[in-house]
Amino acid sequence: EQNALSYLANLKVLNLSRNKINIIYQEIFKNCPKLEYIQLDSNFISTIQPNAFYGLEDLKYLSLYSNKVKMVNAKILNGLNKLEILNLSCNNITDIESNSFMNMKKLKILHISSNDIEKINMGFFNGLCSLEKLNLNGNNISNIDVNSFCSLENLQSLVLSANKIEFINNEYFNCLSKLEELYLNKNVLKKVEDYSFKDLKQLVKLN
């Protein structure tokens, strides 16, 4: 219910994993301003109302692993300005609206593995200037817009394994000067253009 978390003003850790929650209501956490950690894994969450996480100024960790979320947009992520780790793996996500993460300047780790994303569009990752690890393993990605990763200036690890990528354009990774690990295994690669990795001066692992 919408007022289920009333009178919990000092709550810092909330774990409601492995239940039957199917909706996160608007401002459901407004009476828990000190929350730093929320884990809602293995529920049935398909609907996240706009501003569901609004007011969580101290939240550092949010996991929605293994739910039924289909869409990611700025409205449902509003208020997560200090979040450092976000896990959206094992959902039914097909699309991420441009600028969904625009206000998440402190996010360092983003897991979106095992979803149904087919294309990485320019604008997906705008605003993620502090991101160090991006996991897109196990989607259906076959198409990547050139410069899609250019906002990820501090990215160190990019996991694109177990997708349907056939072709690597020599401009896909041209902005990732701090990248140390790149995972492309378990795709269907047929062609890698010359100089595709020319800007990856810090790369130590290519799988």
Side-chain angles (χ1 to χ4, degrees):
E1 300 296 328
Q2 285 182 288
N3 294 310
L5 299 176
S6 296
Y7 307 108
L8 296 173
N10 291 311
L11 192 68
K12 292 188 176 183
V13 176
L14 175 65
N15 188 343
L16 291 173
S17 298
R18 298 184 180 277
N19 281 286
K20 296 185 178 181
I21 300 167
N22 57 25
I23 183 170
I24 303 179
Y25 291 103
Q26 181 175 354
E27 297 187 14
I28 183 71
F29 303 106
K30 66 181 179 181
N31 295 312
C32 309
K34 295 184 179 180
L35 271 171
E36 298 177 1
Y37 181 105
I38 296 176
Q39 189 166 358
L40 297 168
D41 298 352
S42 301
N43 277 281
F44 296 89
I45 298 166
S46 59
T47 300
I48 302 175
Q49 292 187 346
N51 299 317
F53 303 105
Y54 187 77
L56 296 177
E57 297 295 331
D58 293 329
L59 195 69
K60 303 289 193 300
Y61 179 97
L62 173 62
S63 181
L64 292 162
Y65 174 88
S66 189
N67 278 283
K68 298 183 181 298
V69 179
K70 293 181 178 180
M71 168 69 71
V72 176
N73 59 50
K75 291 180 181 178
I76 66 173
L77 297 176
N78 187 32
L80 297 175
N81 299 349
K82 293 186 178 179
L83 199 70
E84 295 180 0
I85 301 174
L86 175 59
N87 191 345
L88 295 169
S89 292
C90 295
N91 277 276
N92 300 322
I93 297 169
T94 57
D95 191 27
I96 300 172
E97 288 187 6
S98 292
N99 302 318
S100 291
F101 306 107
M102 181 57 73
N103 295 317
M104 300 175 70
K105 308 292 186 186
K106 296 192 175 182
L107 196 71
K108 294 181 178 180
I109 299 174
L110 176 58
H111 294 285
I112 321 179
S113 63
S114 300
N115 279 284
D116 297 314
I117 299 168
E118 296 182 355
K119 182 181 179 183
I120 298 178
N121 294 312
M122 190 183 303
F124 266 19
F125 306 116
N126 285 351
L128 295 177
C129 55
S130 298
L131 198 71
E132 296 176 358
K133 181 172 183 176
L134 174 60
N135 185 356
L136 290 160
N137 173 75
N139 278 275
N140 294 309
I141 298 166
S142 60
N143 197 354
I144 302 173
D145 279 349
V146 171
N147 297 326
S148 292
F149 302 116
C150 273
S151 58
L152 305 177
E153 57 196 61
N154 287 300
L155 196 68
Q156 297 173 16
S157 177
L158 175 59
V159 183
L160 289 166
S161 50
N163 278 286
K164 297 181 179 179
I165 300 168
E166 295 185 10
F167 172 75
I168 301 294
N169 185 294
N170 62 15
E171 295 184 354
Y172 280 173
F173 310 121
N174 61 356
C175 300
L176 301 177
S177 60
K178 295 186 179 179
L179 198 70
E180 297 178 2
E181 300 179 350
L182 175 59
Y183 297 85
L184 294 167
N185 54 305
K186 297 183 180 179
N187 275 281
V188 287
L189 284 174
K190 295 179 179 178
K191 182 179 180 181
V192 178
E193 280 194 340
D194 289 343
Y195 311 113
S196 291
F197 310 115
K198 64 183 183 303
D199 297 307
L200 304 183
K201 307 298 185 185
Q202 303 299 318
L203 198 71
V204 295
K205 186 170 185 179
L206 175 59
N207 191 349

